[in-house]
Amino acid sequence: MAFLSKSASAAVTSNATGGGYLSLSKLPDGGSVRFALLSDQPLEFYEAWGSSNGANKPFRFDYEPTYEDVVAEMGDFEPREGRGGPGTADVKFAIACPVYNYESGKVQVLQITQKSILKEIDQISQMEDYAELLEWDFTISKKGSGLTTEYTVRPVPRKKGSQEHIDAAWIEAKSEGFDITRLLTGGNPFKAA
């Protein structure tokens, strides 16, 4: 018999992600997360980070921006330098989609910039057995840290009895005004400004 209840154990060992966002980079080495996709049409965009007075902020574009576009959008923020050196911005392709995080029991936004994860999810989506992505759960595991980080994506059967909880959480998030496209304007996808 376990000393801690399941909820207490989850609170102590939580790979906690900030609020409404499921952050894969915050998974510990050897950690994993299980989630259900809530949309099979992710928001696709390009992202560049800027800094000003010690603050960092993401800037998102619905097109691949030039360095001039990034500088114009950032205003007082300084863009993170790209691999091309001075006069370039570090711009990455990204997707974001609403997911049901089993650990938190809530709808969260999963944003992915890691090409290895994007490729694995795309390959899974093209397999006949997984044609209905919204009927499956997924686990993403993390191994290593820094430049040696590796992520593994696996589709797994939906947890028994969980569909009702997933549906209820998604209905609640949408009724409270969830709109993932607010990410493109720096807004909160969970509520209007």
Side-chain angles (χ1 to χ4, degrees):
M1 180 172 133
F3 177 67
L4 296 176
S5 68
K6 284 185 179 183
S7 60
S9 178
V12 171
T13 61
S14 173
N15 298 331
T17 57
Y21 296 88
L22 175 56
S23 178
L24 299 176
S25 65
K26 292 185 180 175
L27 285 173
D29 183 10
S32 67
V33 64
R34 183 179 185 142
F35 61 90
L37 292 171
L38 299 174
S39 172
D40 58 2
Q41 296 184 346
L43 178 66
E44 298 178 355
F45 55 94
Y46 291 85
E47 181 178 74
W49 281 81
S51 59
S52 176
N53 299 322
N56 294 311
K57 178 180 173 183
F59 292 84
R60 298 177 180 103
F61 303 82
D62 60 359
Y63 60 93
E64 187 169 8
T66 64
Y67 177 73
E68 292 75 20
D69 294 335
V70 171
V71 170
E73 181 67 25
M74 288 191 178
D76 292 338
F77 282 76
E78 183 71 28
R80 192 178 290 166
E81 189 175 286
R83 291 188 175 156
T88 64
D90 184 19
V91 177
K92 292 183 179 178
F93 176 77
I95 67 162
C97 56
V99 298
Y100 176 81
N101 180 343
Y102 280 96
E103 186 174 322
S104 69
K106 295 181 180 177
V107 172
Q108 293 185 315
V109 172
L110 173 62
Q111 179 176 317
I112 304 171
T113 58
Q114 298 92 338
K115 288 182 181 180
S116 63
I117 298 173
L118 291 170
K119 286 178 184 177
E120 282 195 61
I121 292 174
D122 188 48
Q123 288 173 350
I124 292 166
S125 74
Q126 294 178 44
M127 294 178 180
E128 189 176 321
D129 292 344
Y130 305 108
E132 299 297 327
L133 289 179
L134 304 185
E135 294 176 2
W136 291 86
D137 289 346
F138 291 85
T139 62
I140 296 182
S141 303
K142 180 181 176 183
K143 182 179 176 187
S145 62
L147 296 175
T148 63
T149 303
E150 293 179 17
Y151 293 97
T152 304
V153 180
R154 295 288 179 260
V156 292
R158 176 69 32 96
K159 270 190 176 184
K160 290 185 191 280
S162 64
Q163 191 63 51
E164 185 178 317
H165 299 287
I166 294 169
D167 292 343
W170 186 221
I171 288 168
E172 180 182 355
K174 290 190 293 187
S175 71
E176 292 176 357
F178 182 88
D179 181 357
I180 200 159
T181 62
R182 287 192 200 108
L183 287 174
L184 294 175
T185 57
N188 182 342
F190 291 92
K191 60 183 173 186

